[in-house]
Amino acid sequence: MLASGRGSNLQALIAARDAGTLPVDLVAVGSDKDDAGALQLAKKAGIPTFSLDPKAFARRKDFDFELFRRLTATGAQALVLAGFMRIIDGAALAPWVGRMINIHPSLLPKYRGLHTHRRALDAGDTEHGASVHYVTAELDGGPVIAQARIDMVPGDDESALAQRLLGFEHQLLPAVLALMADGRIDFIAPNRVALDGKLLDAPLQLRNGTLVD
Ligand code: GAR
């Protein structure tokens, strides 16, 4: 897993693993910030960590290739990005396409990039949500596997919305990773997802904690 920030999604994965609902070994957590909360959480849970400082590299892509070299060395079979706030070089990530997922706080394809909650509020949207998608070279553009939707409520501001959505992210990410661990989902190039060998026409939806087609 890669994270730049506090790591609440990592905590959700650890909790699901410990509860027996997520059949994975969490083999490493990496970050571009050596003070990321995610690294502290990982250490507390006994998961090996590493951090790499982007400033130590002359070019952005040198950092990215080193990052993926380190990840490959961990023996990880899959990679989860949760709050990893960097754009990754397309050539560096290419060997991981189909094995790498990202959680993004919007109903993609709406609001790729930053400030998703503010943009949804400014647009007057009546619903908002989070998406888990396969990572491709296109920023927040890979095929969406599953989404959690929430209604906007009167008085919502950016931080209230982010906080409310986060609770659903913590259900969505472990549920998608469990499908991946069970070998039930596949990336179908260039931009589709298959569940149990059947192409999905739309992302799975989180309802009452469960993913439905
Ligand atoms: C989450 O809300 C995640 O969706 C978002 O960062 C937060 C990380 O929280 N990701 C992005 O914005 C990616 N562009 P966490 O560190 O507590 O898991």
Side-chain angles (χ1 to χ4, degrees):
M1 171 155 172
L2 290 174
S4 302
R6 96 203 117 178
S8 70
N9 277 291
L10 168 64
Q11 191 61 55
L13 297 184
I14 294 170
R17 182 202 61 179
D18 291 349
T21 55
L22 179 60
V24 298
D25 280 336
L26 298 167
V27 294
V29 176
S31 185
D32 56 327
K33 302 248 189 298
D34 64 5
D35 60 352
L39 295 180
Q40 301 310 317
L41 286 173
K43 282 178 192 150
K44 250 178 68 188
I47 302 167
T49 64
F50 66 90
S51 67
L52 275 185
D53 180 1
K55 290 199 281 297
F57 296 83
R59 296 177 307 172
R60 166 179 285 275
K61 70 193 257 178
D62 295 340
F63 171 88
D64 293 340
F65 274 98
E66 176 59 12
L67 186 68
F68 280 91
R69 195 191 64 73
R70 297 282 286 267
L71 286 166
T72 302
T74 68
Q77 294 175 301
L79 175 58
V80 177
L81 309 185
F84 185 64
M85 302 306 278
R86 290 181 61 84
I87 296 171
I88 305 172
D89 181 80
L93 67 77
W96 285 80
V97 170
R99 301 187 286 150
M100 172 169 35
I101 59 174
N102 177 50
I103 185 157
H104 182 77
S106 79
L107 292 172
L108 290 170
K110 275 190 160 182
Y111 313 131
R112 295 177 183 183
L114 299 175
H115 310 302
T116 57
H117 312 301
R118 190 193 309 162
R119 288 156 71 199
L121 285 164
D122 288 351
D125 291 353
T126 55
E127 64 169 4
H128 187 44
S131 305
V132 175
H133 65 94
Y134 282 111
V135 177
T136 63
E138 193 183 344
L139 177 68
D140 299 329
V144 178
I145 303 163
Q147 294 179 319
R149 318 180 92 86
I150 61 172
D151 289 328
M152 298 288 201
V153 299
D156 261 341
D157 62 13
E158 212 175 326
S159 83
L161 196 51
Q163 194 56 39
R164 195 164 74 255
L165 184 60
L166 200 58
F168 292 91
E169 293 188 35
H170 296 164
Q171 300 173 31
L172 182 66
L173 187 60
V176 174
L177 188 58
L179 286 182
M180 207 173 171
D182 289 337
R184 294 190 56 199
I185 50 170
D186 290 298
F187 169 79
I188 309 293
N191 61 1
R192 300 289 296 273
V193 177
L195 172 69
D196 298 330
K198 263 189 58 195
L199 284 178
L200 290 177
D201 291 324
L204 301 171
Q205 300 294 315
L206 184 75
R207 299 239 166 78
N208 301 320
T210 310
L211 293 176
V212 295
D213 193 349

